[in-house]
Amino acid sequence: MNILEEHPGGDYARMAEGITQIMTLACVMRDMFTAENLRDRPWDLVNLLYMIIDIADRSTDVGACKKSKLFEAHSRAMIE
Amino acid sequence: MTNTTTAKRPCRAASGDEGMPAPFLYQHEDGRYGLSFGPARFAKGVPAWHRVPLDIVEPAPAESNNAVSSLLAAAHIVFGDNPWNVLLAIDAASQTLLWLETLFFVIRELNERGNEKIQVRHLADIGSYIAERAASNAEQSHDEIKASIEAAEAREES
């Protein structure tokens, strides 16, 4: 089995989901900067930024874990 | 036990007014403190606990820090953790609710604009994830603090 293959709910799917969520939050922040009725709520921008950091942190953890798994699988394949 | 503080005035709460039972402070030989509302009952043959006078509430200025640290130590025993860490759990829950408030506000705004269904869905996913994690953390903190309080109560009764 190719070591890059995995089931749909695996690490790659979670990382892609995290990046999509970060993209969504970033787009919302951009819109909030430009929309007239949203400029009065600066704390929302801060909250959105914290959420981006939180989701990026989670995605980074998943990515680091996946990297370790790949290295391990690759080493095993080389030995075999 | 040797008490080096200076008596100034009786503790108001110890007088038992305002319908509250008078608190009794006990100290174990190993240094632990126990607070009881009403006289505590100890098992026979366990003389390790002895009552500490509570009517000394104004220590000399040089000993103020000791008095504060004793209170914090008592709080640490009851909550099972540093009181500041207990506060952190509440702060995290409050922070999460503020995030969710922002998410719901943004979802409402996007919904009013229309044609933003995908973004709304992603934001709902984010809210779901954040709420689930916060609920799990809050539940864990609640269980830990509850177990600690129950242990403190059981220690009082024994």
Side-chain angles (χ1 to χ4, degrees):
Chain A
M1 178 183 161
N2 188 332
I3 57 171
L4 293 177
E5 288 176 5
E6 64 172 26
H7 59 87
D11 293 334
Y12 287 129
R14 289 170 64 200
M15 285 160 67
E17 186 186 311
I19 291 166
T20 307
Q21 290 176 345
I22 289 169
M23 182 71 178
T24 303
L25 290 170
C27 288
V28 167
M29 282 186 77
R30 180 198 59 199
D31 293 346
M32 287 181 78
F33 270 120
T34 52
E36 190 68 35
N37 59 333
L38 298 179
R39 279 195 205 136
D40 297 334
R41 297 173 60 96
W43 62 89
D44 280 335
L45 292 172
V46 176
N47 285 342
L48 288 168
L49 199 54
Y50 271 113
M51 279 183 254
I52 287 176
I53 293 168
D54 188 73
I55 293 166
D57 186 46
R58 177 183 40 139
S59 299
T60 306
D61 285 347
V62 174
C65 183
K66 184 67 180 174
K67 189 179 168 187
S68 304
K69 286 182 198 170
L70 285 173
F71 268 113
E72 194 180 323
H74 185 259
S75 305
R76 218 181 303 128
M78 291 293 282
I79 291 168
E80 287 168 2
Chain B
M1 181 187 139
T2 308
N3 197 331
T4 56
T5 53
T6 310
K8 298 284 184 182
R9 66 182 171 82
C11 173
R12 204 190 320 164
S15 63
D17 54 4
E18 299 171 1
M20 281 283 290
F24 290 83
L25 184 65
Y26 296 88
Q27 187 173 24
H28 197 271
E29 284 176 352
D30 64 8
R32 285 178 292 144
Y33 283 98
L35 191 64
S36 166
F37 290 98
R41 286 169 295 166
F42 297 104
K44 285 181 180 175
V46 185
W49 286 97
H50 54 271
R51 192 173 164 192
V52 180
L54 234 191
D55 55 348
I56 302 169
V57 294
E58 291 182 8
E63 294 165 349
S64 297
N65 288 339
N66 291 337
V68 170
S69 71
S70 298
L71 284 173
L72 289 175
H76 195 132
I77 291 166
V78 173
F79 292 124
D81 198 355
N82 186 318
W84 287 109
N85 289 342
V86 177
L87 200 61
L88 270 181
I90 299 169
D91 188 47
S94 150
Q95 188 68 42
T96 302
L97 289 173
L98 287 174
W99 288 8
L100 291 177
E101 191 241 332
T102 293
L103 275 179
F104 285 128
F105 174 78
V106 169
I107 285 172
R108 192 188 64 199
E109 290 292 319
L110 290 176
N111 185 56
E112 282 177 6
R113 287 191 214 170
N115 288 337
E116 309 278 4
K117 284 184 181 172
I118 294 176
Q119 279 194 328
V120 167
R121 194 199 142 193
H122 289 319
L123 291 171
D125 282 344
I126 294 167
S128 171
Y129 160 72
I130 289 172
E132 184 187 352
R133 199 188 47 181
S136 171
N137 289 341
E139 191 179 8
Q140 188 185 349
S141 297
H142 168 269
D143 290 349
E144 286 172 2
I145 293 170
K146 186 183 172 199
S148 183
I149 291 172
E150 284 173 349
E153 276 181 348
R155 213 183 297 160
E156 288 279 316
E157 289 168 4
S158 63

